[in-house]
Amino acid sequence: MTWWEAEEMAVYVSNTEAALEEWMMSNAQMRFEQDAVGRVAKKINQTLSQTVEPDKKVFLANLANRVEGLRQHLTERLKRDLPR
């Protein structure tokens, strides 16, 4: 993964976090994002294990933590918003 790709993922995470905070997503959108976040997390973790650059490792580790938080936030939001 290049730095550009990592930065693009960070922008995606920021935009998704903002959309959640502003309650802009429907349940269907959140389920879609949940799958996308899972793919992003997998790619970040694979790259993190292969990266030898210290700066990139720190950036990816921080991004992995944000992605995990986002994943948990989506899961919790979907639990609350499920129709009864």
Side-chain angles (χ1 to χ4, degrees):
M1 174 186 308
T2 65
W3 272 105
W4 182 82
E5 290 173 312
E7 289 172 356
E8 285 293 309
M9 286 185 182
V11 168
Y12 164 75
V13 170
S14 293
N15 290 341
T16 306
E17 288 170 336
L20 272 177
E21 290 299 318
E22 296 171 13
W23 292 83
M24 295 174 59
M25 285 194 245
S26 68
N27 283 356
Q29 289 169 315
M30 286 189 285
R31 281 190 289 278
F32 175 80
E33 291 303 329
Q34 200 172 30
D35 291 338
V37 166
R39 289 189 301 274
V40 167
K42 184 177 179 179
K43 183 165 183 155
I44 289 170
N45 288 328
Q46 286 174 343
T47 304
L48 187 57
S49 68
Q50 299 168 356
T51 300
V52 294
E53 297 174 56
D55 291 343
K56 196 172 187 180
K57 260 194 179 314
V58 169
F59 183 83
L60 289 173
N62 288 331
L63 188 55
N65 287 333
R66 285 181 60 201
V67 167
E68 180 57 26
L70 179 57
R71 190 188 63 75
Q72 289 175 1
H73 193 169
L74 282 164
T75 300
E76 288 302 314
R77 180 74 62 83
L78 282 167
K79 284 180 188 176
R80 280 193 298 244
D81 289 346
L82 289 177
R84 297 182 199 292

